[in-house]
Amino acid sequence: MLRARLDALGRVLSRWRSVWEHRPYVAPEPPWRDALPELVRHLESLPKEAIEAVEDGRDALPARLLPWQEALGALCALPKVPARHLPPPTDPELRRGMSPRKWQQVLDLGAAARAAADEAGFWLDWCAGKGHLGRTLSLQDGRRAHLLELESDLCAAGAARAAALGAHCTFHAGDALAPAAAHQVRPERHAVALHACGGLSDALLRASANAGAGLTIAPCCPHRHRPDGLWHPWASSALPPLPARVLRLATAQESVASPHRRELRTREMVFRWGLDLLRREADGVDHYRPVGACPRGWSRAGFETFVSEASRQHHLALPTRWSPQQVLAAAEAHVTRARALALARAQFRRPLEIFVWLDRATWLHEQGQDVHLGLFTDPRNTPRNLAIVAHPSAGPSV
């Protein structure tokens, strides 16, 4: 049952909230040290190579140090959603513009949608972009697809591509967050969405419940499109509204990022902390203060260039004399320790993601829909492989 799983998962997350809310890069001292002293000692003893091995999944933390592991393992074991696969199209033109991973996501979410959409005469692709998902569904089964997209240039490009391929597609330029968008959600249209972020998926879920329409969505990035900066639970009372910065944890996994990209990210973390150390020395303010976005070229050019450009652009006071080597060494030590301590909160990345969308799935079920929450594709295609599949229930909700 969705409700029982949601309540149980909420209790575990609430108990260990101090672990997954702690951001060791910003606040070096873990508030959970007294509760889990052995775990802290183990993490602080890890060399950089061991930290990297756990980060990329080649190794794991000792289970005996993770009191939540058994419960979370059971609560987060999700089945695949029902799917009806068709032979994949062989025309390479159909997948032009998509990476192999994205193409497989389109095929797999489409298979899940077909299994749930027997009664629908049309498709609705929500936040469609160029329409890869809706166009492919239409080409595979002949049903007309309506596609909602904010950017008019993407609508034009998608419509031209669909026409060239002979797909029955109608694009609608509109904002999925605007009240008028809900009029596109109708009982005769089965809605699909591949990685509509945060509030965009929420808007579709509400519209679907109100219209009595079915949907198959792979939601993403729950921290995005939150006007007040908070994610608000709809069905659970275990956790309060959560700040968007906390929910970033749910999608922070880098399993498909290249080693080069991960190296650049770590270097920028070191450089940003080094800059912060210099600011502290200059003005005496002893807490971390982030600076805005910085061009990647600054990091590639080296620490001294990064400091010079960032201080110039953001008008930062710096010490008149400082040693780049000493500051870099201190910053590297901090980042290594922060990465080690972050391995604890990383254990809650997937549970938190599941909790967020399980909350929505439970709410939708309690509005009278038959709902599945499960996996739609292999995690090697995307770590964001959760899907919510729903259609109006024939009987009373439970």
Side-chain angles (χ1 to χ4, degrees):
M1 293 290 291
L2 294 171
R3 167 57 67 182
R5 187 187 292 258
L6 176 68
D7 290 346
L9 183 54
R11 286 192 294 270
V12 178
L13 290 174
S14 178
R15 179 179 179 185
W16 298 108
R17 184 178 170 187
S18 64
V19 178
W20 53 264
E21 277 199 331
H22 173 231
R23 295 186 297 159
Y25 180 81
V26 174
E29 179 56 29
W32 42 274
R33 180 185 290 276
D34 290 343
L36 298 163
E38 278 192 80
L39 178 58
V40 173
R41 285 195 295 270
H42 176 78
L43 294 174
E44 292 181 331
S45 71
L46 292 176
K48 187 180 298 185
E49 295 76 15
I51 296 169
E52 292 172 351
V54 177
E55 285 177 336
D56 62 22
R58 291 179 288 116
D59 202 356
L61 297 178
R64 62 180 178 80
L65 300 179
L66 310 175
W68 52 76
Q69 188 175 68
E70 184 176 352
L72 290 183
L75 291 169
C76 295
L78 296 177
K80 287 188 175 182
V81 295
R84 186 180 301 160
H85 287 276
L86 297 177
T90 57
D91 184 354
E93 183 63 21
L94 299 183
R95 56 181 180 268
R96 179 170 59 84
M98 287 181 272
S99 68
R101 284 200 301 259
K102 178 64 176 288
W103 174 237
Q104 193 60 52
Q105 292 170 49
V106 166
L107 294 178
D108 289 347
L109 192 65
R114 271 192 302 277
D118 282 341
E119 304 300 320
F122 305 89
W123 299 109
L124 171 64
D125 191 350
W126 187 262
C127 303
K130 291 184 179 180
H132 294 312
L133 177 57
R135 181 182 67 246
T136 301
L137 283 166
S138 180
L139 285 168
Q140 285 188 302
D141 68 12
R143 282 183 269 189
R144 176 170 291 278
H146 294 267
L147 302 97
L148 179 69
E149 169 53 40
L150 176 64
E151 303 292 339
S152 57
D153 57 336
L154 294 181
C155 288
R161 180 84 181 279
L165 292 170
H168 303 296
C169 294
T170 302
F171 278 78
H172 307 271
D175 183 354
L177 296 176
H183 298 306
Q184 295 291 340
V185 183
R186 305 172 189 177
E188 67 272 17
R189 298 176 180 177
H190 189 88
V192 294
L194 178 56
H195 295 157
C197 292
L200 299 173
S201 284
D202 280 359
L204 177 55
L205 291 165
R206 286 195 181 278
S208 174
N210 291 336
L215 59 77
T216 301
I217 66 171
C220 184
C221 302
H223 60 280
R224 299 191 62 186
H225 301 289
R226 304 295 176 192
D228 63 354
L230 297 171
W231 172 84
H232 294 267
W234 292 357
S236 174
S237 59
L239 294 174
L242 297 174
R245 60 171 177 78
V246 172
L247 283 184
R248 288 180 183 274
L249 171 65
T251 54
Q253 189 171 352
E254 296 186 357
S255 64
V256 296
S258 69
H260 176 66
R261 183 175 177 181
R262 295 170 70 176
E263 181 184 350
L264 286 177
R265 171 171 166 73
T266 300
R267 181 189 301 175
E268 184 171 336
M269 291 172 65
V270 170
F271 286 4
R272 284 177 176 270
W273 190 262
L275 175 63
D276 193 73
L277 291 177
L278 291 171
R279 295 177 69 187
R280 296 182 193 215
E281 183 179 340
D283 61 21
V285 177
D286 192 24
H287 62 79
Y288 180 70
R289 290 164 292 173
V291 295
C294 298
R296 291 181 180 176
W298 294 0
S299 296
R300 293 191 180 100
F303 180 53
E304 291 179 73
T305 298
F306 181 90
V307 169
S308 174
E309 294 295 334
S311 61
R312 178 185 57 81
Q313 178 165 310
H314 298 286
H315 309 290
L316 307 178
L318 299 178
T320 54
R321 300 176 64 181
W322 54 280
S323 167
Q325 292 77 18
Q326 290 180 355
V327 175
L328 260 184
E332 287 173 350
H334 168 77
V335 170
T336 298
R337 181 176 179 275
R339 288 172 64 191
L341 291 171
L343 296 176
R345 76 190 300 254
Q347 306 295 309
F348 294 89
R349 182 181 295 128
R350 184 66 159 181
L352 187 58
E353 180 185 20
I354 289 174
F355 175 81
V356 165
W357 299 117
L358 180 58
D359 174 85
R360 297 318 195 228
T362 303
W363 175 88
L364 190 59
H365 175 67
E366 292 174 352
Q367 302 305 302
Q369 298 260 26
D370 285 334
V371 182
H372 293 278
L373 175 71
L375 313 178
F376 78 95
T377 195
D378 190 285
R380 290 172 295 185
N381 297 322
T382 173
R384 311 277 73 77
N385 66 340
L386 296 180
I388 299 174
V389 181
H391 55 84
S393 174
S397 61
V398 179

